[in-house]
Amino acid sequence: MLGRPSDDLNLTERDALVAHHAQRLQGLRTASYGLLLGGVETDEGERFRIGRIGLSDPDDGERLLIDWRAPVARPFYTATPLHREGVRARRRISSTDRTVTGVYDEPLHLDLGDPDGGAGDGRPDAALLAALDRPRTQHMSDIVGTIQREQDAIIRGPLAGTLVVQGGPGTGKTAVALQRAAYLLYEHRERLAKSVVLIVGPNRRFLEYISQVLPSLGEDSAVLVTPGTLVPGVTATAAESAVASEFKGRLDIVDALRQTVRAFQVPDGRSRVLRPAGLKPMTLDGRLLHRVRTRGRSGGTPHNAARPKFERALLTEILRLEDAQHGASAMEDSERRADWAEDPAVQELFDELWPLLDPVEVVRDLFGDPARLDAAFPGLDPALRSALLRPREHGLTPADIPLVDELAELLGEDPRPATAAANRARADRAIDLAYAQSVLDMVDDIDGDEDRLAAPVSIVTAATLADRQAAGDGRSPAERAMADREWVYGHVIVDEAQETSPMLLRALIRRCPTRSMTLVGDANQYTATDAPFTWAGLLDPQVPRWSRTDLTVNYRTPGRIMHLATDVLRRLDPGTPEPTSARAGEHEPRVVRVAAEQLGRAAARAAADALAEGEGTVGVIGPLGVLGALRDVQATEAAEAAAAGAPARLWVGTPDDAKGLEFDAVVVAVPPMPEPRAVSTATWKRLYVALTRPTQRLTVVEAGDVIG
């Protein structure tokens, strides 16, 4: 019956149990990704099984599986024959769904009488090499079963502070970042499950590629965005020149945006004539309007939020003029203000002198109106001015999004709809409370009639009952965060972070004021401009304290291919060292030279050959002008895959699109280039990015003599 003393407690317990079991169910679903990762045997003879999640026997509480993130599981990843950490032997197990596909035993104790040094019949890196040689799919796999020692140190690093992870191609930066997100959500569950982790990837295709990693680890408290989708409800759909993008990314644009907003506030010093209905015109001179503008700007209130303040100040001046012209009124000031505020001429004046602004529209105005652009950025170089100017209906670019975010801060929200909504909510609440009280009164009457000697009906109040009936939000914290521009995240992870502009970094700090961030990237893959890139140059102006750690082993790209790619990078810096590759690889890279007009068709043939040569994915990387010839091959392969009920294996895109991705085989189309010294730094680095995407095979189709 409604209102028994235990009801409130039971409902609370029920909600807690529902949340607990929902989270547990999400964890148990990870079994389909391979539940058992392996185990260790200690010097004392103890044995621990390591899994994606922790499991205990429900009858006696015995631990059946230890979560890979638990402290006791750490030696599973970090123990070596020279630093055994009390581990005598390790077993790694790989599986697909619920089928075991490989078992790798690794004795870690050194037996001096064993000619193999105690390695037994299982090489220490056998599980890792098997994982590296496994065909790729459309989605990235987690590395939770093969985390290496240097990676584990990053994954389990502290939550506080900003950590930069610098690593060359294939060093596992992305995998480490995602595993770090899963670890932090485990280690700081109470905090991060509510505040959520924000993950920023370079493009939409990248987010699709990594989308299964955190769910495979039983985690759903993360929001994935690109720089072009950082602001909820706003999406960048257009491109622009590198020079325009770089200019918009500078921090000094903040002052220009601030001045742009101020230019809308009483935009000039000239007088205005107010023509109210039924009264003589009033002249509002420049000094009066200056006073009103000063009051509107006082206190640093954002532009839209300051609109009521401006209106009150202007109405005060209008009442003074009315008194001066017609003498003191017998009406109360509040009544007079209300009458004046409803006058259409006054409303029009409000909108002219202090318009309510939308951040997207301000960006469109700024770069679509030559006069407004010149006012914001006086003395622009003509070439840069031309690059920035565009039609007002032009789509937003990724570099525009941090400007939209900054303007949203400068403008704030119009408080009037919120005030009206609050008034409606109070009225609705009063109705709900009255109804709830009537229900309680009715229950009291029924109970009193049935048994006057019964215990008191309830400690439930009308407010409690009304709260129970109110519709809840129903969204998870991640879903709420995704829709809220002002959400404060517990941690931010940025992939391909070398491409982060200062303005984008500012927007990310706004979302995580504690600067608890993990930035992963490679300075050698910076392609936004031809200028040199350093982490200090990006971070020092806004992040006073940060640390850096490097990943040194290339797990993706075989040594044979990496040697060729490093030769390209050495055109910029002859002293560039070649990264250490975990394996040499079985296939030498192939270089095919063709006439310029044959480049597209030759790349298409190479893609078809790569599809026929093996399983796994094939990526074709080249400039936009060449990729058109690949569309037929891509469409044919996709149709054949769909008919067979299999995923498409062929991907086509530019080097910028390919950042963060990997493929079993890669075809790189290289167009004719001018004399090498005339080739831009960014062009060489894009070529380096393209050459380092394969895990097995590389074919370079070039029109000229650049490679080799």
Side-chain angles (χ1 to χ4, degrees), residues 243-456:
V243 65
S245 179
E246 188 276 334
F247 179 80
K248 292 177 182 179
R250 300 176 189 173
L251 278 179
D252 53 13
I253 205 171
V254 172
D255 288 336
L257 295 177
R258 188 175 291 114
Q259 292 305 317
T260 297
V261 171
R262 292 171 71 88
F264 284 97
Q265 300 167 352
V266 190
D268 53 55
R270 61 188 176 87
S271 300
R272 299 296 199 281
V273 177
L274 175 63
R275 304 181 187 279
L279 294 176
K280 292 181 179 179
M282 292 181 178
T283 299
L284 310 179
D285 63 33
R287 288 178 300 174
L288 180 152
L289 294 178
H290 177 77
R291 288 197 302 271
V292 172
R293 183 177 66 184
T294 300
R295 291 176 198 158
R297 290 176 176 174
S298 65
T301 308
H303 172 86
N304 289 338
R307 167 73 175 252
K309 186 191 304 184
F310 166 79
E311 291 179 356
R312 289 192 298 271
L314 184 57
L315 288 172
T316 296
E317 296 294 342
I318 290 174
L319 293 182
R320 283 182 186 156
L321 286 176
E322 182 185 30
D323 290 343
Q325 291 183 6
H326 305 290
S329 172
M331 294 176 60
E332 294 288 337
D333 276 359
S334 59
E335 296 177 3
R336 295 170 64 196
R337 284 176 178 275
D339 285 347
W340 277 105
E342 293 175 0
D343 190 291
V346 174
Q347 288 288 337
E348 184 177 341
L349 194 60
F350 287 160
D351 291 337
E352 177 190 355
L353 298 180
W354 203 282
L356 291 169
L357 301 174
D358 176 83
V360 171
E361 297 307 312
V362 173
V363 169
R364 294 186 190 280
D365 286 340
L366 179 58
F367 298 111
D369 182 345
R372 203 173 292 282
L373 182 67
D374 292 340
F377 307 107
L380 275 180
D381 176 81
L384 176 58
R385 182 179 184 275
S386 177
L388 292 171
L389 271 176
R390 65 195 187 195
R392 194 181 182 285
E393 62 275 11
H394 189 280
L396 296 178
T397 70
D400 290 327
I401 301 302
L403 309 191
V404 171
D405 194 64
E406 188 71 30
L407 283 164
E409 287 291 305
L410 293 171
L411 297 176
E413 298 290 337
D414 178 4
R416 294 174 302 176
T419 301
N423 291 336
R424 289 194 301 272
R426 280 194 293 270
D428 292 342
R429 177 68 172 176
I431 294 172
D432 291 343
L433 287 172
Y435 174 75
Q437 187 60 56
S438 70
V439 171
L440 292 177
D441 292 343
M442 179 180 65
V443 173
D444 270 337
D445 291 342
I446 293 173
D447 278 4
D449 292 340
E450 290 179 349
D451 187 358
R452 292 291 178 184
L453 299 178

Side-chain angles (χ1 to χ4, degrees), residues 58-302:
D59 294 327
D60 59 16
E62 178 188 358
R63 286 192 298 183
L64 303 176
L65 278 182
I66 294 174
D67 192 297
W68 67 275
R69 296 165 288 191
V72 72
R74 185 167 191 171
F76 177 71
Y77 298 108
T78 59
T80 68
L82 294 179
H83 302 90
R84 295 192 299 111
E85 302 184 36
V87 174
R88 179 179 179 81
R90 171 170 52 216
R91 170 173 288 180
R92 297 187 190 269
I93 296 175
S94 62
S95 59
T96 301
D97 296 327
R98 302 188 182 206
T99 302
V100 173
T101 57
V103 177
Y104 308 93
D105 286 326
E106 303 172 11
L108 298 180
H109 64 287
L110 295 175
D111 184 351
L112 298 180
D114 185 343
D116 293 329
D121 58 1
R123 293 176 297 159
D125 58 356
L128 172 63
L129 292 177
L132 297 179
D133 288 334
R134 192 174 300 130
R136 272 30 179 194
T137 67
Q138 288 184 316
H139 294 290
M140 181 181 185
S141 299
D142 63 68
I143 62 168
V144 66
T146 57
I147 293 170
Q148 301 300 293
R149 187 182 182 93
E150 69 171 0
Q151 296 172 331
D152 185 82
I154 296 169
I155 291 169
R156 297 176 190 264
L159 174 64
T162 296
L163 173 65
V164 171
V165 180
Q166 160 68 36
T171 51
K173 299 183 297 295
T174 299
V176 166
L178 295 174
Q179 253 68 207
R180 174 162 169 75
Y183 171 79
L184 292 176
L185 285 165
Y186 171 87
E187 185 70 10
H188 306 277
R189 173 73 60 192
E190 186 65 25
R191 174 178 174 182
L192 294 185
K194 296 177 181 178
S195 60
V196 187
V197 172
L198 177 66
I199 298 175
V200 184
N203 52 57
R204 181 183 60 82
R205 175 65 183 85
F206 175 84
L207 295 187
E208 292 173 355
Y209 180 58
I210 68 170
S211 62
Q212 299 302 313
V213 173
L214 286 176
S216 77
L217 299 171
E219 299 297 349
D220 60 0
S221 295
V223 170
L224 278 64
V225 301
T226 69
T229 59
L230 181 65
V231 176
V234 182
T235 301
T237 59
E240 64 187 339
S241 67
V243 65
S245 179
E246 188 276 334
F247 179 80
K248 292 177 182 179
R250 300 176 189 173
L251 278 179
D252 53 13
I253 205 171
V254 172
D255 288 336
L257 295 177
R258 188 175 291 114
Q259 292 305 317
T260 297
V261 171
R262 292 171 71 88
F264 284 97
Q265 300 167 352
V266 190
D268 53 55
R270 61 188 176 87
S271 300
R272 299 296 199 281
V273 177
L274 175 63
R275 304 181 187 279
L279 294 176
K280 292 181 179 179
M282 292 181 178
T283 299
L284 310 179
D285 63 33
R287 288 178 300 174
L288 180 152
L289 294 178
H290 177 77
R291 288 197 302 271
V292 172
R293 183 177 66 184
T294 300
R295 291 176 198 158
R297 290 176 176 174
S298 65
T301 308

Side-chain angles (χ1 to χ4, degrees), residues 401-595:
I401 301 302
L403 309 191
V404 171
D405 194 64
E406 188 71 30
L407 283 164
E409 287 291 305
L410 293 171
L411 297 176
E413 298 290 337
D414 178 4
R416 294 174 302 176
T419 301
N423 291 336
R424 289 194 301 272
R426 280 194 293 270
D428 292 342
R429 177 68 172 176
I431 294 172
D432 291 343
L433 287 172
Y435 174 75
Q437 187 60 56
S438 70
V439 171
L440 292 177
D441 292 343
M442 179 180 65
V443 173
D444 270 337
D445 291 342
I446 293 173
D447 278 4
D449 292 340
E450 290 179 349
D451 187 358
R452 292 291 178 184
L453 299 178
V457 170
S458 147
I459 58 171
V460 175
T461 65
T464 303
L465 184 60
D467 288 340
R468 286 184 188 173
Q469 306 309 314
D473 190 309
R475 295 177 298 169
S476 69
E479 290 170 330
R480 295 201 303 274
M482 192 179 301
D484 186 355
R485 191 194 68 82
E486 297 181 347
W487 189 274
V488 176
Y489 291 88
H491 192 73
V492 173
I493 291 175
V494 186
D495 207 317
E496 300 296 336
Q498 75 278 356
E499 305 298 341
T500 302
S501 71
M503 281 299 294
L504 177 57
L505 180 61
R506 179 180 172 91
L508 296 177
I509 292 172
R510 183 175 293 126
R511 286 155 175 76
C512 188
T514 62
R515 292 167 172 78
S516 174
M517 299 188 292
T518 302
L519 310 181
V520 301
D522 179 13
N524 284 329
Q525 295 184 63
Y526 172 73
T527 59
T529 70
D530 285 336
F533 171 85
T534 65
W535 292 110
L538 170 65
L539 294 173
D540 284 353
Q542 301 186 74
V543 185
R545 291 177 295 279
W546 55 277
S547 60
R548 167 178 164 170
T549 187
D550 288 22
L551 291 170
T552 59
V553 179
N554 185 334
Y555 299 101
R556 175 205 303 142
T557 313
R560 288 183 170 92
I561 295 174
M562 204 63 217
H563 180 70
L564 180 69
T566 304
D567 282 346
V568 168
L569 199 59
R570 284 173 177 160
R571 294 175 183 261
L572 300 175
D573 180 4
T576 299
E578 182 174 331
T580 301
S581 293
R583 68 204 197 287
E586 299 179 1
H587 308 282
E588 290 288 348
R590 291 180 292 188
V591 179
V592 180
R593 294 186 174 87
V594 298

